[in-house]
Amino acid sequence: MAMVNGFFQCNGATERNDELVEISTKKYLLIFGYGTDADGNGYTFRKYYDHKPTRKELREDIDALVNAQTDSRILTGFVWNGKPVYLSTENQSNFKTAYDIARDTDGANLPIRFKLGEDADGAPIYHTFTKFEPLQDFILKASNFVNDTLNEGWREKDGVDYTALGV
């Protein structure tokens, strides 16, 4: 993941260990979160400060990082029937509108073709919905994915013990 709001990923972690480390009288290091990459290697996020950050500043920074991770996962983390789906806000709206019309008109707008995303080489991936049931399956799974991803982000932010960080 690219640097977000000054955070960088540090590999080699084996567990979560949120802490604010005083490196010198005017330098602090925030160590936050825990994740694993595709190969199962653990990592944390870190950010340097040239002052002792306040609770408000830490909360704002952590929220910004978690929000960026959540947004990125929603955009590119959903896979439906083996196909990667790009869930931009515009695409979510287009998919939902097509579903609503199909539901309300007994499928009068079907078949309908969507560009779901792109493969690893950048080639477009399309899917044509010819029946209501697969479209409904797609919409329900996409909606659940977005909701689950948002809830993961909220749990991450709500789980930070700022008292343990010494602020």
Side-chain angles (χ1 to χ4, degrees):
M1 172 172 202
M3 195 188 282
V4 175
N5 198 25
F7 281 94
F8 60 95
Q9 185 173 308
C10 186
N11 298 322
T14 57
E15 63 184 13
R16 183 178 186 134
N17 187 24
D18 296 348
E19 61 181 325
L20 183 63
V21 179
E22 183 177 2
I23 297 172
S24 67
T25 56
K26 291 191 175 189
K27 192 157 189 162
Y28 289 81
L29 173 65
L30 172 64
I31 302 170
F32 168 74
Y34 177 77
T36 55
D37 62 20
D39 296 324
N41 300 311
Y43 62 86
T44 59
F45 286 99
R46 296 177 180 211
K47 180 177 180 174
Y48 287 106
Y49 294 87
D50 61 2
H51 60 282
K52 184 172 184 178
T54 64
R55 178 184 294 243
K56 181 178 186 239
E57 185 176 8
L58 289 173
R59 181 178 301 278
E60 288 172 354
D61 288 349
I62 289 170
D63 284 357
L65 173 66
V66 173
N67 288 344
Q69 291 176 309
T70 299
D71 291 346
S72 177
R73 182 152 189 257
I74 288 170
L75 281 175
T76 61
F78 180 58
V79 176
W80 179 74
N81 288 353
K83 299 174 182 178
V85 180
Y86 186 73
L87 286 178
S88 65
T89 303
E90 180 179 7
N91 284 353
Q92 290 179 54
S93 178
N94 290 341
F95 299 149
K96 176 68 167 76
T97 299
Y99 167 79
D100 288 345
I101 293 169
R103 181 197 60 216
D104 295 345
T105 64
D106 291 325
N109 63 331
L110 301 177
I112 190 164
R113 183 177 188 226
F114 284 114
K115 178 183 175 188
L116 299 182
E118 297 178 347
D119 68 15
D121 297 323
I125 297 174
Y126 297 98
H127 186 85
T128 301
F129 293 95
T130 58
K131 295 182 179 177
F132 178 74
E133 291 76 17
L135 179 58
Q136 182 179 37
D137 177 71
F138 172 76
I139 289 296
L140 289 174
K141 287 179 178 168
S143 177
N144 287 339
F145 174 79
V146 170
N147 189 51
D148 291 346
T149 303
L150 289 170
N151 275 284
E152 286 173 23
W154 295 329
R155 276 191 302 275
E156 181 72 23
K157 291 189 284 188
D158 293 344
V160 178
D161 181 357
Y162 289 94
T163 304
L165 295 178
V167 292

